[in-house]
Amino acid sequence: MNIKNGLSGLVTAAAFSVCLLAVPGISGAETLWDEPRAFVEFSVPVERVEKASISEDGLLWIVLDDQGRTELHEMTRANLGQPVQIVMACQVVLRFTVTTELESGRLRVQNPHQGLIEALEAFL
């Protein structure tokens, strides 16, 4: 095998690989060039908080009141499989894809923003 034929084979193989990635219907190919999915935004007023606490490992736990729990449950039921972001006190609290209906009304926030902690100070 000479160098010219070897390089030609590499270029052909690379082009074939790129074509495979760009063909719709092949597993994973659609996700490479799709537009980012829009999040369903769910706003939770601070008034819907029943209590909040910060654990020793720095997680912020928020428990919603009855109305907040009901609204969260209805939103997750209506958006199964969809990406959602929960906003509270003008801060994105959580981003996730809904895989099940949330009934507990408990939210766990990793690395909470200082503005959110200040907004929830009365509940801590």
Side-chain angles (χ1 to χ4, degrees):
M1 172 189 213
N2 65 35
I3 293 178
K4 184 176 181 183
N5 287 342
L7 288 176
S8 175
L10 281 174
V11 170
T12 302
F16 181 73
S17 297
V18 170
C19 289
L20 280 178
L21 290 174
V23 175
I26 295 178
S27 179
E30 301 84 10
T31 59
L32 293 176
W33 288 277
D34 279 352
E35 293 294 318
R37 293 175 69 180
F39 285 90
V40 172
E41 187 167 292
F42 180 67
S43 293
V44 179
V46 174
E47 295 81 28
R48 294 286 152 250
V49 174
E50 187 173 285
K51 62 182 176 178
S53 62
I54 298 177
S55 64
E56 291 179 15
D57 54 357
L59 295 174
L60 173 64
W61 289 90
I62 301 170
V63 178
L64 301 178
D65 67 7
D66 289 338
Q67 185 175 346
R69 277 190 288 278
T70 300
E71 291 171 359
L72 179 65
H73 181 235
E74 290 171 358
M75 183 277 297
T76 55
R77 180 180 12 182
N79 291 290
L80 286 170
Q82 298 300 313
V84 169
Q85 67 181 16
I86 296 179
V87 176
M88 182 180 289
C90 300
Q91 305 292 323
V92 174
V93 176
L94 294 169
R95 281 189 174 154
F96 59 95
T97 298
V98 179
T99 58
T100 187
E101 297 174 23
L102 301 178
E103 296 180 44
S104 72
R106 293 185 68 199
L107 305 174
R108 181 184 71 186
V109 182
Q110 296 179 343
N111 304 317
H113 188 276
Q114 186 62 35
L116 178 59
I117 293 172
E118 290 172 4
L120 296 173
E121 190 172 2
F123 302 98
L124 294 171

